[in-house]
């Protein structure tokens, strides 16, 4: 069931959500966009949008007061659920042994406000890996449990978006895992949001606010906006047979071409909302009596990632780019029964040299080594 | 866990015995543990003891870098962190009644040793059992006392690169002797462990003998940080070596191993 809330009443929704926890949402601070604390609806980037392309991101002023007419920036919710660096253990040397204190993961209740459909899909993928696998990650599980999700549908896709071809956006399907889902509508001077609940918690918020049920024509209006967005995606990626395509093109000459551009900086893996590789390292106090173990995001683009004594398995940058894209789009499917890509386009925007995952796939497809021309 | 005994095997390689306490430490042959040395780090090390002795946890470590050197510096009474056991195991149960051919070199016997123990302990369940074990020189062979003991019930065939006149085993690299092992290819299960390049040669020799890929089992090494399939480091194509491996039947990884820098 769809409800309606006017722009003027958005702060009532925020106040109700604050009861659940600290709200984190989209915000422009110091001329950059990111996920920050939200105190009121004034904090949302009213009248702003982004221009994005390979290696390019600019904030642009719009002519209307829309709050969410843009897509995703470099921050993904992975930063909140699976922090870039966290302490796992603190250890203390004792007389003849050492004691171990596992880190208590945060029990803070939070509300993620403005989770985009692609990012919602990404969270569900990380759930499969970090919660539903044979070994659940305690920190991720805890943070995930404590997060309430307010998702928002996209009506202004970027040139780097391709969720529509992966089926992860720009709308939110009712089977997705959200508490509330919003769609922003600006219409002849009217500014309102359609609201749906996906969980009991979400339904309770709607009931608490006493929101009115949305009239049919408003629902249709919102659906049209999302459908139009789907037709305005800047990029596409053909998923057909993609797993075998990559498995079979391990020696494709395209890997050499992309390797000439790739800096193996790992930016793409850091901004990707599904990449989960991490490393673990130790820090010891000067006295040698205290030690800590930290986990931090790692990247398959780094030489150390595949290091075994005597050398790395993936030495060339071609092999590291190939590993990344093959894992994302092919072996991920074998491992977790879903693709590792949700079409958010972050890896395209934040690649300093503008390497484009959709273009690389297209190039390989066009000269598929299994027969066609090379 | 506390180190109860340290034994030097060869230069730079030590066997640590740990006391797992009352509960013991049951494991399957071929599985590994993540061993943590205070302030130094944590590395994957195969379990090398007798699977029927869960009261002693045995690891053989070669000092190659920071953590393995720290492991080799441990002395009885020192404490280290142990997580495990992780990973897949040698198919010792699935190959009862069969002939077994172990082929390995140097430190490669460490991950195979629990399987050899198992077969030695249940000798009657198996057919002909051969352990072809190579090293650069006789002083580089591990577990020499056990090789003696095992040779009473199994055919132990040591091969060294070079040796003095009193050496009674083979001289040359192990792969050269596979063809001479007069195995019945229809009956034989091969279990091998060595560097990947050596294993490639071993496999082609085993294939020449008529042993098919699915009857060859091997153990692989990849960088590992967690042992749980979550850190991403140990991926070999779609498999995670820490959880789908480290022991694989060769037919399952043949294509993956054939790919360069996978
Ligand atoms: C399943 C498995 C079983 C193993 N069993 C044994 C054994 O029984 N005995 C033994 O001596 N060694 C064994 N190894 C190898 C052992 O893990 C490495 O020698 C050790 O990690 C080297 O760490 P280092 O810090 O001393 O070396 P450095 O060269 O300083 O390595 C730095 C880091 O790289 C990683 N690394 C380096 N080499 C390896 C490697 N070969 N495998 C995995 N990660 C590596 C580790 O995270 C290490 O901390 C095994 C490896 C695996 C994967
Ligand atoms: S691979 Fe690129 S487009 Fe796909 S989810 Fe990751 S960052 Fe987004
Ligand atoms: S593809 Fe781009 S972002 Fe990724 S490692 Fe290469 S240069 Fe960096």
């Amino acid at each position: 069931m769809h409800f309606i809330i006017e722009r003027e009443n958005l702060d009532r929704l925020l106040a109700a959500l604050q009861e659940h926890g600290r709200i984190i949402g989209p915000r422009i601070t110091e001329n950059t966009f990111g996920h920050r604390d939200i105190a009121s609806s004034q904090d949302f980037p009213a009248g702003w949008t982004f221009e994005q392309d390979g290696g390019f991101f600019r904030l642009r002023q719009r002519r209307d007061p829309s709050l969410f007419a843009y897509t995703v920036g470099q921050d993904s919710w992975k930063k909140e659920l699976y922090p870039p660096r966290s302490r796992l253990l603190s250890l203390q040397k004792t007389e003849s042994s050492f004691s171990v204190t596992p880190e208590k993961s945060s029990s803070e209740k939070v509300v993620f406000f403005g989770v985009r459909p692609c990012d919602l899909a990404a969270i569900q993928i990380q759930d499969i890996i970090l919660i539903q696998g044979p070994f659940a990650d305690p920190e991720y599980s805890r943070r995930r449990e404590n997060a309430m999700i307010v998702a928002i549908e996209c009506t202004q896709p970027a040139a780097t978006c391709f969720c529509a071809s992966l089926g992860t956006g720009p709308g939110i399907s009712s089977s997705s895992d959200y508490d509330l889902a919003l769609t922003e509508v600006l219409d002849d001077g009217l500014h309102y949001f359609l609201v749906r609940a996906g969980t009991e918690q979400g339904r309770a918020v709607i009931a608490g606010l006493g929101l009115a049920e949305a009239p049919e024509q408003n629902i249709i209006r919102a659906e049209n906006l999302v459908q139009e967005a789907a037709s305005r995606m800047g990029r596409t990626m053909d998923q057909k047979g993609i797993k075998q395509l990559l498995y079979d093109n391990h020696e494709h000459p395209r890997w050499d071409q992309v390797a000439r551009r790739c800096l193996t900086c790992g930016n793409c893996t850091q901004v990707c909302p599904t990449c989960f590789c991490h490393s673990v390292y130790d820090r010891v106090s000067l006295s040698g009596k205290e030690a800590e173990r930290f986990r931090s995001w790692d990247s398959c683009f780094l030489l150390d990632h595949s290091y075994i004594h005597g050398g790395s398995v993936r030495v060339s940058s071609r092999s590291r780019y190939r590993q990344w894209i093959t894992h994302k789009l092919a072996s991920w499917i074998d491992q977790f029964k879903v693709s590792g890509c949700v079409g958010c386009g972050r890896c395209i925007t934040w690649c300093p040299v503008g390497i484009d995952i959709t273009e690389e796939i297209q190039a390989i497809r066009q000269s598929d080594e299994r027969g066609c021309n090379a | 866990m506390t180190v109860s005994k340290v034994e030097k095997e060869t230069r730079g390689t030590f066997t640590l015995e740990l006391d797992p306490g009352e509960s013991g430490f049951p494991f399957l042959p071929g599985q590994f543990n993540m061993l943590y040395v205070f302030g130094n780090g944590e590395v994957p090390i195969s379990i090398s003891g007798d699977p029927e002795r869960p009261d002693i946890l045995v690891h053989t470590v070669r000092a190659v870098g920071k953590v393995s050197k720290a492991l080799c510096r441990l002395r009885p009474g020192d404490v280290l962190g142990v997580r495990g056991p992780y990973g897949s195991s040698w198919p010792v149960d699935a190959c009862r009644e069969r002939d077994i051919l172990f082929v390995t070199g140097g430190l490669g016997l460490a991950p195979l040793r629990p399987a050899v123990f198992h077969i030695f302990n249940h000798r009657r369940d198996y057919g002909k059992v051969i352990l072809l074990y190579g090293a650069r020189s006789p002083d580089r062979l591990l577990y020499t006392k056990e090789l003696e003991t095992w040779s009473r019930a199994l055919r132990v065939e040591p091969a060294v690169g070079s040796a003095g006149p009193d050496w009674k085993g083979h001289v040359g690299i192990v792969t050269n002797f596979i063809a001479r092992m007069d195995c019945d290819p229809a009956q034989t299960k091969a279990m091998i462990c060595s560097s990947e390049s050596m294993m490639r040669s071993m496999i082609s020799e085993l294939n020449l003998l008529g042993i098919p890929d699915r009857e060859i089992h091997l153990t692989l090494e990849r960088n590992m940080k967690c042992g749980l399939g979550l850190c991403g480091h140990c991926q070999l194509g779609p498999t995670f070596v820490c959880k789908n491996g480290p022991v694989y039947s060769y037919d399952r990884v043949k294509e993956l191993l054939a790919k360069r820098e996978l």
Side-chain angles (χ1 to χ4, degrees):
Chain A
M1 203 186 285
H2 290 75
F3 295 86
I4 199 158
I5 185 167
E6 293 74 30
R7 162 70 186 90
E8 308 84 82
N9 289 325
L10 197 59
D11 282 300
R12 285 185 55 219
L13 173 62
L14 292 177
L17 292 171
Q18 244 132 20
E19 301 281 307
H20 287 264
R22 179 168 65 96
I23 302 177
I24 307 166
R27 191 167 176 182
I28 293 169
T29 45
E30 294 165 358
N31 289 324
T32 58
F33 172 85
H35 294 159
R36 308 271 187 276
D37 284 346
I38 300 290
S40 84
S41 66
Q42 299 297 324
D43 292 335
F44 295 128
W48 286 96
T49 193
F50 318 150
E51 207 176 301
Q52 302 195 51
D53 209 337
F56 184 92
F57 184 94
R58 293 288 182 280
L59 296 172
R60 292 265 185 264
Q61 201 89 54
R62 287 170 62 89
R63 274 180 235 280
D64 62 37
S66 57
L67 299 181
F68 303 103
Y70 44 83
T71 56
V72 294
Q74 79 273 37
D75 286 352
S76 78
W77 301 99
K78 168 171 102 172
K79 240 174 153 168
E80 308 298 330
L81 293 169
Y82 199 69
R85 193 178 88 124
S86 48
R87 188 164 55 197
L88 300 174
L89 306 171
S90 308
L91 304 103
Q92 178 89 38
K93 239 194 168 111
T94 58
E95 195 72 29
S96 59
S97 172
F98 56 84
S99 65
V100 182
T101 319
E103 193 71 6
K104 274 205 210 76
S105 43
S106 163
S107 57
E108 191 195 15
K109 298 260 184 221
V110 290
V111 178
F112 296 166
F113 196 103
V115 176
R116 298 293 177 170
C118 56
D119 280 353
L120 193 57
I123 292 173
Q124 282 172 239
I125 292 171
Q126 289 218 316
D127 286 353
I128 295 176
I129 301 163
L130 298 167
I131 300 182
Q132 294 155 26
F135 298 98
D137 182 78
E139 184 179 26
Y140 181 89
S141 310
R142 183 92 180 258
R143 285 174 180 265
R144 181 73 174 86
E145 238 167 62
N146 287 323
M148 181 171 178
I149 292 183
V150 182
I152 187 148
E153 297 193 302
C154 289
T155 51
Q156 270 295 323
T160 43
C161 291
F162 56 102
C163 61
S165 50
L166 304 188
T168 49
I172 295 169
S173 86
S174 51
S175 60
S176 298
D177 200 1
Y178 57 84
D179 293 288
L180 289 173
L182 270 53
T183 319
E184 182 179 35
V185 183
L186 265 103
D187 217 358
D188 289 337
L190 296 177
H191 191 180
Y192 59 90
F193 295 85
L194 290 209
V195 190
R196 281 176 283 162
T199 57
E200 270 318 309
Q201 205 176 20
R203 269 186 281 281
V205 171
I206 293 179
L209 293 171
L211 296 184
E213 216 178 295
E216 183 69 22
Q217 80 256 26
N218 296 71
I219 300 175
I220 293 172
R221 176 77 183 115
E223 281 171 358
N224 285 343
L225 285 174
V226 173
Q227 257 165 35
E228 271 166 41
S231 63
R232 277 186 288 131
M233 293 275 137
R235 283 167 163 80
T236 58
M237 187 158 72
D238 182 1
Q239 287 271 87
K240 195 161 79 320
I242 200 162
K243 190 174 96 178
Q244 215 51 44
L245 179 78
L246 285 165
Y247 283 168
D248 291 347
N249 283 287
H250 188 78
E251 294 298 341
H252 198 284
R254 183 73 188 188
W255 303 127
D256 290 317
Q257 290 164 25
V258 69
R260 261 178 251 133
R261 298 169 62 207
C262 178
L263 312 170
T264 64
C265 64
N267 269 14
C268 47
T269 54
Q270 307 300 285
V271 293
C272 180
T274 69
C275 277
F276 59 89
C277 281
H278 66 262
S279 194
V280 181
Y281 63 93
D282 289 77
R283 211 166 63 185
V284 197
S285 67
L286 277 179
S287 69
K289 292 211 169 72
E290 289 99 35
E292 294 163 297
R293 274 177 83 61
F294 290 92
R295 164 170 82 191
S296 63
W297 290 354
D298 201 359
S299 171
C300 55
F301 280 92
L302 305 182
L303 204 48
D304 265 3
H305 188 273
S306 65
Y307 176 81
I308 51 176
H309 189 76
S312 293
V313 175
R314 289 182 284 273
V315 178
S316 67
S317 35
R318 93 196 274 273
S319 71
R320 285 178 264 154
Y321 185 84
R322 180 180 59 201
Q323 163 63 20
W324 176 67
I325 199 170
T326 309
H327 185 215
K328 288 269 103 162
L329 302 172
S331 40
W332 205 293
I333 301 175
D334 277 331
Q335 293 166 351
F336 308 112
K337 313 283 177 268
V338 287
S339 171
C341 177
V342 295
C344 72
R346 284 187 178 90
C347 57
I348 305 171
T349 300
W350 300 99
C351 173
V353 294
I355 292 172
D356 178 345
I357 186 170
T358 64
E359 194 182 320
E360 294 312 307
I361 287 300
Q362 189 55 22
I364 288 183
R365 212 180 264 291
Q366 270 167 3
S367 52
D368 182 357
E369 282 197 330
R370 293 170 297 182
C372 319
N373 49 88
Chain B
M1 270 184 217
T2 310
V3 178
S4 45
K5 193 170 152 195
V6 180
E7 202 162 331
K8 181 173 171 178
E9 293 285 349
T10 71
R11 235 185 77 208
T13 304
F14 296 81
T15 294
L16 309 176
E17 288 188 13
L18 314 178
D19 177 5
E22 298 243 314
S23 52
F25 199 92
F27 68 97
L28 299 170
Q31 289 191 302
F32 67 94
N33 279 328
M34 296 297 292
L35 300 186
Y36 171 77
V37 188
F38 182 86
N40 281 277
E42 193 183 42
V43 291
I45 303 287
S46 304
I47 306 172
S48 290
D50 184 342
E52 259 134 76
R53 294 290 308 272
D55 54 320
I56 336 172
L57 178 60
V58 181
H59 287 288
T60 299
V61 186
R62 178 159 64 199
V64 294
K66 186 178 172 196
V67 182
S68 51
K69 279 183 187 157
L71 279 166
C72 289
R73 277 195 301 267
L74 294 174
R75 291 295 159 249
D78 289 345
V79 171
L80 76 169
V82 179
R83 286 195 294 132
Y86 297 125
S88 61
S89 57
W90 300 107
V92 286
D93 286 327
C95 62
R96 273 201 216 118
E97 317 285 322
R98 305 273 303 270
D99 294 348
I100 314 287
L101 173 58
F102 294 106
V103 187
T104 180
L107 187 65
L109 185 53
L112 274 174
R113 189 180 182 224
V116 182
F117 269 127
H118 178 92
I119 286 167
F120 183 76
N121 296 343
H122 303 266
R123 185 64 190 89
R124 269 190 246 148
D125 294 349
Y126 298 88
K128 181 155 83 177
V129 181
I130 303 173
L131 169 61
L132 176 56
Y133 176 41
R136 247 177 273 166
S137 51
D139 60 344
R140 304 255 191 155
L141 294 167
L142 302 182
Y143 317 126
T144 39
K145 263 182 270 164
E146 255 136 37
L147 292 175
E148 286 279 341
T149 318
W150 289 339
S151 65
R152 280 185 243 134
L154 332 170
R155 225 170 94 196
V156 177
E157 302 265 5
V160 297
S162 59
D166 50 346
W167 173 250
K168 294 193 187 63
H170 306 285
V171 178
I173 45 173
V174 270
T175 44
N176 292 347
F177 301 99
I178 293 175
R180 299 192 208 164
M181 288 300 124
D182 59 62
C183 306
D184 173 359
Q187 263 302 312
T188 304
K189 191 77 147 174
M191 301 187 203
I192 68 176
C193 177
S194 190
S195 66
E196 268 174 51
S197 58
M198 271 297 267
M199 288 199 283
R200 256 181 258 272
S201 329
M202 290 174 180
I203 290 162
S204 49
E205 289 295 321
L206 291 166
N207 286 159
L208 278 178
L209 267 183
I211 301 176
D213 294 338
R214 64 170 189 286
E215 300 298 345
I216 301 171
H217 294 258
L218 48 79
T219 180
L220 294 175
E221 249 183 335
R222 282 294 179 272
N223 187 301
M224 287 176 193
K225 296 292 176 206
C226 71
L228 312 172
L230 296 180
C231 76
H233 287 259
C234 71
Q235 288 176 82
L236 172 72
T239 83
F240 289 92
V241 174
C242 73
K243 93 184 167 188
N244 310 107
V247 179
Y248 293 92
S249 89
Y250 180 56
D251 61 333
R252 296 198 49 199
V253 287
K254 183 179 184 172
E255 273 182 34
L256 301 175
L257 291 176
K259 288 182 172 174
R260 272 188 300 162
E261 294 188 274
L262 182 67

